[in-house]
Amino acid sequence: MNSNADLNAPLTLPCGLTLKNRIVKSAMSDSLGNGAGDPTAAQINLYHRWALGGAALALIGEAQVTPDHPEKPGNLVLHSSADVEQLKALADAGSQKGAHIWPQLGHGGALSHAPISSPKGPSPLDLPGLTCGGMTLAEIDALPDAYAYAAQLAQRVGFSGVQIHAGHGFLLSQFLSPLFNHRTDQYGGSVANRFRVIAAIIAAVRVATGPSFAIGIKINATDMLEGGLMEAEALAVVQLLNSTSVDLIDISGGTYFPGAPASSESSAKGGPYFRDFAREAKCITDIPMTLTGGIKTRAQAVAVLTSGAADAVGLARALVMDPELPNAWIGGEDRAVTFPKFENPPKGSVTAWYTMRLTALGEGTEANFDHSADTALCAYNQRDRERCQTWVQRFD
């Protein structure tokens, strides 16, 4: 049994940073940037609400390390012409009441948003629903500096750490996955080779930010795709992380590969996804670990900690429905979360619904939020189209 099973127990990371409790607001693509890579007032207000709501750490998903390969046009970009004052305001807003806020550093790779990018992954692919080019050695070798610059900028404006996104099918996840990575050079083949660029990125970020800055990483327990990363190799990735200076490992799973199953279709039934994997991973690493996905009740959160499966729990959609949930759970209240139910929703509409509710939370209009899955998808797509135009004007 974990001696720190209390949700309110502090968690000190290897770098010395202490999280005030065991609840993390997991990274979601909130799509609240202004279309030019910078924060908006709604985004700043949203993370202020989550800080006041009691989460020890909020992760901004995701902040691009380059404008060339974004996941979505509403994402932040930590680059040389970023709006430093707005980033400072975001960092300050998310740091209230002893909370921490970290940007999740990402690169879309093969899943980059095609209207504003030329998708490019570890290897060229021509699959149903997914076509991309392959990265050159020079492009791969440039990645550590790009991540290091973004992390150093994050540190300069007041964020206490960053999370490196190596999950959910984006670029670094693609390097780890044999489905995406067919390379025959030093970046392909064995798990150690496929991990090589991630190790280089972590090392570069550590050199750029120093020993007291927190570095987290999100990895997949499984891609949930035939031919993709499976649990045995994911455990090997955890072992490889032991040789790095990572401070917090976030376990999740699944990808945004077209047609891929949702994480909710994982093997875990009636509880958190990937819990069994996390329990195995905890046996081979001393690096603190967060488990994200499928945690919907206080009892489930406490059980994850009590069982020793993880050191902290990650909440995502639960905090879209109730941003003050951490305060309630930490106070001992078994407050339930009411999630919407959708009948035969169009593809992509559930994600759109939650994203548009995030917008309402940031604007303080959630009391009047009345989108259906269909109308949310319409509004979401229209906003993306408008932001694509802004993105091209800013970064072309």
Side-chain angles (χ1 to χ4, degrees), residues 132 164 335 347 380:
C132 73
I164 295 167
R335 184 188 293 184
K347 183 179 178 182
Y380 176 81

Side-chain angles (χ1 to χ4, degrees), residues 6 14 25 27 38 62 112 117 130 134 144 164 174 183 239 252 257 284 376 382 387-388:
D6 183 357
K25 196 292 293 181
D38 297 317
E62 60 183 87
S112 300
S117 177
L130 180 63
I164 295 167
Q174 292 160 23
R183 299 185 72 94
Q239 288 182 312
S252 188
F257 187 91
I284 59 174
Q382 177 59 29
R387 285 179 173 165
C388 281

